[in-house]
Amino acid sequence: MDRPHSFTEYIFLTAAVCSGLLTAAVFLFLLIFSLPLLQNGELTDLLLSSWAPDKGMYGIYPMLMASLTLACLSLVISFPLSLGCSFVISALAPARLRRFLLSMVRLMTGIPTVVYSFAALFLLVPFMRNILGHGSGMSILTAAPVLALLIAPTMIIFFVGSFEKVPLSATLAVDALGGNPIQKLLYVMIPQAWPGIINGVLLGFGRAMGDTMISLMLAGNSVSAFNSLSQSARSLTAHIALVMAFDFDSMEFKSIFVCGLLLYIFTAILMLLLRMSTLCLSGKR
Amino acid sequence: MIRRLIEGSLILFSWAAGLLLTLAFLTLVGFLLQKGGTSLGVNLIFGDTAPLDALLLRQQVFDGLFPAIIGTLLLIAGSMLIAIPLGIAAGIYMAEYCRGRVKTFFSLLFDILAGVPSIIVGLAGLSLTIFLHRSFSAQISTSLLISCLSLALLVLPYLIRTTQTALESIDPLIRMTAPALGASRLQNIIRVLLPNSISEIGSGIILATGRCAEDTAVIMLTGAVASAGLPRSIFSQYEALPFYIYYISSQYSGPDELRRGFGAAILLILLCAGLLLTALWMQRRLKTILLYR
Amino acid sequence: MVSSTKIRTQDLCFYYHRQQVLHDISLDFPAHQITAISGPSGSGKSTFLMILNRLWEEIEGCSISGNVAMELDGELQDITSRALSARILRRKVGMVFQQPNPLPMSIFKNIAFPLRLASITDKNQVRHAVENALRQVQLWDEVKERLNDDGRLLSGGQQQRLCLARALILRPEVLLLDEPTSSLDPEASAAIEELLLSLKSQCTLIMVSHYQDQIQRIADLRFEIREGRFISSRSDCDGGNARRQT
C-alpha cells in the first residue's frame, strides 16, 4: 500500500539506515585495512601458514585453530550441562527451586567476562599448573571450562525458552496419560523444541568464538601451533588484542584486520544459518 | 526396562548438571568475595586522598579506583547518549514502518551487528581513529569519545531489537484504539505504543548499560589505559574498571594492588548485577509506576 | 420517520492479500437509525465496519475497490478518496470494539484522549466535555469520585460504556459498533442497548451483532452478510418500539 511518506517517517528511516550503514562500515573498515595483505600474499597462505613476523610470515593458522578448538571444546563441555540444567528448570525442579535457578542463570549473564577470567586466573590456573605438572597452567584446557561457564546461560535461557513454547495441550496430554516429567520432556518437549535447541547451540558457539577476555587471560597466548590441549594457545580475538600494541604501519598490525575480517564473516555466516534454520523450521510446521 | 534406565539416568544427569553449574558459579563468586571482601571500603575507591577532595576534583587520586569508576560512568553515559535515540528511532522504524524485503534485509544486518564479537567493534573503532588520524589531524588518537562511539555501536542492535519486539508484541486491539479515534501514526506511536512498551524498552536500555559497563575488549583497543587519572576531556584517554581488572591481572606489583584488583572485580559485579536486577524489576514494575497514576 | 441516506456503498469489494473478503456490496444506510449487520462469524461483518472509518488501512495487505459515499457536514463525500484524511474521517465516525479497549491510563485521560489527539487542550473545555460524555453514557455518577483510577480497573460493562463515551466525545456523525455487547453479561448489555437507542437522535448507528433478539429489540433495519456477500435486508425490526410499549 503506497502512502505519502511523512516527515517523521523519514527521521525513523534515517536512524535505521544509519544503523545499517554502520554495520556495513565495520566490514568496510576491516576490508580496507586488510587489503594490503590480501593483495600481497595469497589468502590461503595467510590462513594456512604460521606466525613468524621476523621471517616475514604473518599466517594466522595457529590462532584460527586455537579459536575453533577452544569454541568446540567449550561447547562440548557446556552443551550437555546446559541441556541438563534446562531440563531441571523446565521439568524436574519444584516451582521455588525453578525460580531460584532461573534467577541465577539470568544473573550469570550479567557477570562481566573479565571478572570470570580474573577469578579463574587465581583459582583455576594454579590448580591446572599442579595437575599438568609443567608450564604456567594457562592452556586450552584451562580456558575451555571457563568459556563453557560463560556460554552456558545463553544456551540455558534459549533452551528453557523453547521448552516453554511447547503448547500446554501437548504436555497436558502426557500428564493425562500418567506420564512423569522426564517422559514429558523426552517424548513431547524435546521433539517439539529442537529447533530452539539448535539455535541456542549456534548462538553459544558464536559467543565462544567471539569472546576475547577468557582466552586472552587464561589460554596462554603462545603463537606457535599447539599439539595437545594442555598446551598454551592464542585465539583470533586474543591475537587482535595483543598485536594492537605494535606500530600502526607494520604488517603485523595489518594482519589483525584479516583476523577481524575472518571473525566478521564467520558471524555473518552464523547469522545466516540461524535465519535459515528458523525459516525452514517455521515453514515446515 | 532399558527405557526406564535411560529415563532414570537422564534425571540423575540433569540434576548433576544443574548442581555442577550452580557450584561452579558460586565457587567463582565466593572466591572473589573472600579474596576481595576485605578490601571493600572508602579506602579502595579514594586511596589516601580525602573523599571530599577527590569528589570536588581538588586532588588527584593515585592509589584508588576513583578515576576508573568515573571513567566507567562516563563511558556508560556517553555511549548510551548516542545509542538510545538512534536505537529507539531505528526500532520504531523496524516495527511500525518497515515492511517486506527491506525489513528482512535490515533485520539480517542488525542480527549480524549483534553477533559481531566486541573485539571487532573495538577494532572498527581503532580503524576509525587511524583513518581520522591520517586524513585530518595527527592530534587525533584513541579517546573516550571513540570508545563511546564504539560501545554505542556494540549495544545499538540490542536496543533496536528490544524496541522492535516490544512494539510488535502490543495487543492489536490496543494498537487499533487510537487510530479509530482519529490519531495519526505518529500520535499513536508517541501516545499509546511507546508508553505501552516502556517497561520492555526501559529494561532493554538498562541491560545495554550493563554491557557498556562490562565490556573490556572494545575499550582496550580504543583508549582505555592503566593510569590516566580523570579524563580531561572526551578527547583524552581514560581509566575504566574492567580494563583496570585486566591490567592488574597481568601487571600487579604486590599484594596491595592485587587486593585492589579483587575489589574492582567485586565493584564491577555489583554494578552489573545491580543493573540486571533493576532491568528485571523494571519489566514487572515500571508500567505500574508510569501509567497507573 | 423521514430518513435520508447517510452512507451508500456501491460495488464494494475488499481483499486481504489475494483473498477476496467482500463481494460487490451495495447498500444504503439511513440516517439516525440503527442498522444491524448480521451473519455467521468470519463472513466479513467486522471488515465492513472497518471500511467505513478506513481502519483497514492500518492492517497490512488490505485493498479495496468500489465506492463508499458518506454524508458528512451536510455534504456527500467519497470517503475512500485520498483527498479526505483518514484522521478527519475517524473523528466523525466513531467506533466501539467487541472487547472493551480502555487504554492503560486513567478514566479521565481515556475519555479526554481524542481531544488531546485533536489538539484541544483548554482545561475547562476538556473537563466539561469529559463530564458530558460520561453523563451521556450514564457513567458519571459511578466514576466521578475516581476519575484518576486506571480505566482497566472498571467492570466489563463500565469499560464498554467508557469506550462508548470516548467514541462520543468528538460528537461523531456515525457510530460503528462491532458486537458491542458480546463480552458483557445480560444486565450490562441491556444498559448498552438502552444507551444506543438514546443516541439515535445524535448520530447514525451501524452495529454488527449476531444476537437475533438484540437486533429485534433495537435495530431499525437489518442487513445479512454471508461469505462476504449481501444476502437480505429486513426492515421489520422494532427499533426499540416494542420494548417501550411493554
Side-chain angles (χ1 to χ4, degrees):
Chain A
M1 170 176 49
D2 281 324
R3 204 187 299 214
H5 295 280
S6 65
F7 174 65
T8 45
E9 180 174 346
Y10 278 118
I11 293 182
F12 295 136
L13 172 66
T14 312
V17 170
C18 278
S19 314
L21 282 180
L22 283 171
T23 316
V26 172
F27 182 74
L28 281 182
F29 267 128
L30 296 175
L31 193 65
I32 290 171
F33 278 87
S34 51
L35 262 186
L37 269 182
L38 292 183
Q39 283 169 340
N40 278 0
E42 295 280 307
L43 183 64
T44 44
D45 243 25
L46 216 54
L47 290 183
L48 296 178
S49 69
S50 58
W51 177 261
D54 42 328
K55 290 184 202 147
M57 287 167 73
Y58 302 99
I60 49 175
Y61 178 73
M63 294 80 177
L64 186 62
M65 286 320 286
S67 270
L68 286 172
T69 314
L70 257 174
C72 290
L73 189 58
S74 61
L75 201 62
V76 165
I77 302 172
S78 194
F79 175 64
L81 283 182
S82 306
L83 203 59
C85 200
S86 67
F87 287 171
V88 172
I89 292 177
S90 304
L92 300 176
R96 198 177 276 185
L97 182 62
R98 179 177 311 183
R99 266 200 304 270
F100 167 77
L101 281 174
L102 253 186
S103 323
M104 190 193 76
V105 169
R106 289 225 176 96
L107 191 63
M108 284 169 80
T109 61
I111 303 295
T113 55
V114 68
V115 171
Y116 270 137
S117 4
F118 189 75
L121 190 62
F122 296 98
L123 195 66
L124 195 60
V125 169
F127 178 74
M128 291 304 283
R129 197 181 303 148
N130 284 340
I131 286 196
L132 299 176
H134 63 89
S136 63
M138 295 185 195
S139 67
I140 296 177
L141 267 184
T142 323
V146 186
L147 209 47
L149 192 61
L150 177 82
I151 62 175
T154 314
M155 290 201 278
I156 294 174
I157 287 179
F158 234 88
F159 295 167
V160 172
S162 51
F163 286 146
E164 267 170 12
K165 282 197 202 109
V166 174
L168 192 66
S169 56
T171 56
L172 278 180
V174 184
D175 285 335
L177 294 170
N180 60 25
I182 197 76
Q183 289 169 332
K184 195 156 69 183
L185 203 72
L186 272 177
Y187 309 126
V188 179
M189 287 161 96
I190 295 180
Q192 297 246 356
W194 66 269
I197 295 179
I198 289 185
N199 284 358
V201 168
L202 284 177
L203 271 182
F205 188 69
R207 271 211 83 181
M209 278 292 279
D211 187 79
T212 311
M213 298 321 287
I214 289 175
S215 57
L216 178 65
M217 288 166 78
L218 300 174
N221 297 323
S222 149
V223 287
S224 52
F226 58 93
N227 301 320
S228 83
L229 295 180
S230 62
Q231 281 181 352
S232 155
R234 181 190 285 201
S235 71
L236 285 172
T237 49
H239 187 60
I240 295 176
L242 288 165
V243 173
M244 134 79 200
F246 288 81
D247 173 23
F248 283 178
D249 277 321
S250 66
M251 286 305 265
E252 278 131 298
F253 186 70
K254 282 174 184 145
S255 80
I256 69 173
F257 287 94
V258 181
C259 298
L261 201 63
L262 216 57
L263 282 169
Y264 190 104
I265 293 170
F266 164 79
T267 310
I269 291 174
L270 193 72
M271 287 301 154
L272 271 172
L273 273 180
L274 268 173
R275 176 64 58 102
M276 273 170 13
S277 81
T278 316
L279 275 184
C280 289
L281 295 163
S282 66
K284 229 185 242 174
R285 290 257 177 103
Chain B
M1 187 60 204
I2 291 175
R3 203 159 246 212
R4 285 210 73 91
L5 208 65
I6 292 176
E7 286 170 11
S9 47
L10 194 60
I11 294 179
L12 206 66
F13 171 78
S14 300
W15 281 107
L19 196 67
L20 186 65
L21 215 58
T22 315
L23 275 183
F25 175 66
L26 292 182
T27 313
L28 276 187
V29 175
F31 173 73
L32 279 177
L33 287 177
Q34 180 229 329
K35 282 279 187 174
T38 52
S39 71
L40 287 181
V42 181
N43 202 30
L44 172 72
I45 297 175
F46 297 108
D48 296 330
T49 318
L52 198 63
D53 284 347
L55 284 174
L56 295 174
L57 309 180
R58 276 189 288 206
Q59 234 179 324
Q60 284 240 34
V61 177
F62 290 108
D63 47 0
L65 294 175
F66 183 64
I69 293 173
I70 295 295
T72 289
L73 292 181
L74 286 175
L75 270 181
I76 291 176
S79 41
M80 293 316 278
L81 209 63
I82 302 165
I84 289 176
L86 194 59
I88 291 187
I92 292 175
Y93 180 76
M94 292 295 288
E96 299 300 317
Y97 296 95
C98 200
R99 296 286 172 262
R101 284 199 186 152
V102 184
K103 188 169 183 172
T104 322
F105 175 69
F106 269 130
S107 14
L108 183 62
L109 269 190
F110 297 149
D111 277 355
I112 292 176
L113 188 56
V116 162
S118 64
I119 190 100
I120 303 291
V121 176
L123 197 55
L126 181 65
S127 16
L128 175 69
T129 320
I130 300 173
F131 175 71
L132 293 175
H133 181 89
R134 284 183 184 158
S135 329
F136 296 106
S137 154
Q139 302 278 315
I140 297 173
S141 68
T142 54
S143 65
L144 188 59
L145 180 65
I146 297 283
S147 291
C148 287
L149 285 171
S150 313
L151 282 179
L153 184 61
L154 185 74
V155 296
L156 185 65
Y158 194 75
L159 289 174
I160 296 176
R161 188 40 59 88
T162 321
T163 311
Q164 186 190 344
T165 14
L167 289 175
E168 280 173 351
S169 64
I170 290 177
D171 182 359
L173 190 65
I174 293 287
R175 181 175 282 280
M176 283 294 169
T177 304
L181 296 166
S184 68
R185 226 165 183 192
L186 186 65
Q187 278 178 323
N188 195 21
I189 292 171
I190 291 178
R191 295 203 193 274
V192 179
L193 302 182
L194 281 182
N196 255 290
S197 42
I198 192 82
S199 58
E200 284 90 349
I201 296 178
S203 69
I205 288 175
I206 305 264
L207 288 176
T209 309
R211 279 214 70 183
C212 284
E214 69 148 323
D215 201 275
T216 324
V218 170
I219 60 174
M220 67 196 287
L221 292 192
T222 55
V225 287
S227 55
L230 292 178
R232 276 170 218 281
S233 76
I234 53 170
F235 301 110
S236 58
Q237 299 194 314
Y238 59 93
E239 295 180 31
L241 275 181
F243 186 76
Y244 182 84
I245 297 170
Y246 166 64
Y247 176 79
I248 287 293
S249 75
S250 56
Q251 311 283 336
Y252 67 96
S253 58
D256 260 6
E257 266 194 11
L258 190 58
R259 236 199 347 266
R260 216 179 296 143
F262 276 105
I266 292 179
L267 280 187
L268 194 59
I269 285 196
L270 287 179
L271 179 65
C272 290
L275 284 171
L276 194 81
L277 292 178
T278 318
L280 293 181
W281 171 82
M282 216 168 188
Q283 271 169 358
R284 281 179 298 136
R285 286 302 300 272
L286 192 70
K287 211 178 230 166
T288 336
I289 295 167
L290 279 182
L291 296 169
Y292 273 58
R293 292 199 323 156
Chain C
M1 196 196 297
V2 185
S3 58
S4 60
T5 300
K6 184 73 179 173
I7 304 168
R8 166 169 290 165
T9 68
Q10 269 180 323
D11 307 323
L12 184 64
C13 300
F14 189 85
Y15 308 85
Y16 183 65
H17 293 290
R18 284 198 188 132
Q19 193 188 346
Q20 188 162 5
V21 181
L22 293 178
H23 303 260
D24 303 312
I25 307 253
S26 301
L27 292 173
D28 283 4
F29 293 85
H32 296 292
Q33 297 212 334
I34 299 181
T35 308
I37 300 174
S38 66
S41 51
S43 58
K45 297 170 302 194
S46 304
T47 313
F48 184 76
L49 282 195
M50 293 219 267
I51 292 173
L52 298 182
N53 67 350
R54 270 169 57 185
L55 203 59
W56 61 271
E57 290 181 354
E58 306 298 320
I59 300 167
E60 241 188 297
C62 296
S63 60
I64 187 177
S65 73
N67 285 316
V68 185
M70 190 182 286
E71 188 226 297
L72 293 171
D73 297 324
E75 261 179 75
L76 205 62
Q77 301 191 20
D78 175 12
I79 65 159
T80 57
S81 132
R82 292 255 170 267
L84 179 68
S85 120
R87 295 166 60 189
I88 304 291
L89 176 71
R90 288 172 195 162
R91 282 168 198 178
K92 299 201 185 296
V93 182
M95 184 166 191
V96 174
F97 294 82
Q98 183 172 2
Q99 290 287 329
N101 57 344
L103 291 167
M105 46 178 88
S106 72
I107 296 172
F108 185 89
K109 281 188 180 167
N110 253 295
I111 302 199
F113 189 69
L115 299 175
R116 266 169 74 197
L117 293 177
S119 317
I120 298 170
T121 49
D122 180 72
K123 277 197 177 153
N124 274 324
Q125 197 187 345
V126 171
R127 200 170 306 142
H128 202 70
V130 168
E131 183 179 335
N132 270 342
L134 279 171
R135 281 188 193 283
Q136 203 173 11
V137 298
Q138 280 146 26
L139 199 58
W140 176 252
D141 290 324
E142 293 164 55
V143 302
K144 65 182 173 192
E145 303 296 327
R146 45 180 185 136
L147 287 175
N148 289 325
D149 282 6
D150 191 309
R152 294 170 296 180
L153 298 177
L154 296 172
S155 74
Q158 286 174 322
Q159 283 189 20
Q160 195 61 306
R161 277 187 281 158
L162 177 97
C163 296
L164 198 54
R166 193 176 59 188
L168 287 171
I169 197 164
L170 289 173
R171 311 211 138 265
E173 298 182 27
V174 176
L175 191 60
L176 309 173
L177 304 136
D178 190 354
E179 304 192 31
T181 61
S182 68
S183 66
L184 306 178
D185 60 61
E187 205 171 320
S189 304
I192 297 274
E193 284 176 15
E194 202 65 45
L195 273 171
L196 296 183
L197 283 172
S198 75
L199 288 171
K200 275 165 71 172
S201 60
Q202 186 190 327
C203 47
T204 304
L205 292 91
I206 298 171
M207 174 179 74
V208 164
S209 173
H210 52 225
Y211 298 115
Q212 290 307 321
D213 50 335
Q214 182 176 54
I215 295 173
Q216 283 288 328
R217 275 198 301 274
I218 64 171
D220 299 288
L221 185 65
R222 179 189 125 170
F223 294 138
E224 193 178 345
I225 292 180
R226 233 173 240 278
E227 289 169 1
R229 287 170 217 275
F230 167 69
I231 297 292
S232 68
S233 87
R234 284 169 60 180
S235 55
D236 57 343
C237 315
D238 287 315
N241 297 324
R243 182 132 56 129
R244 250 168 252 154
Q245 279 158 12
T246 50

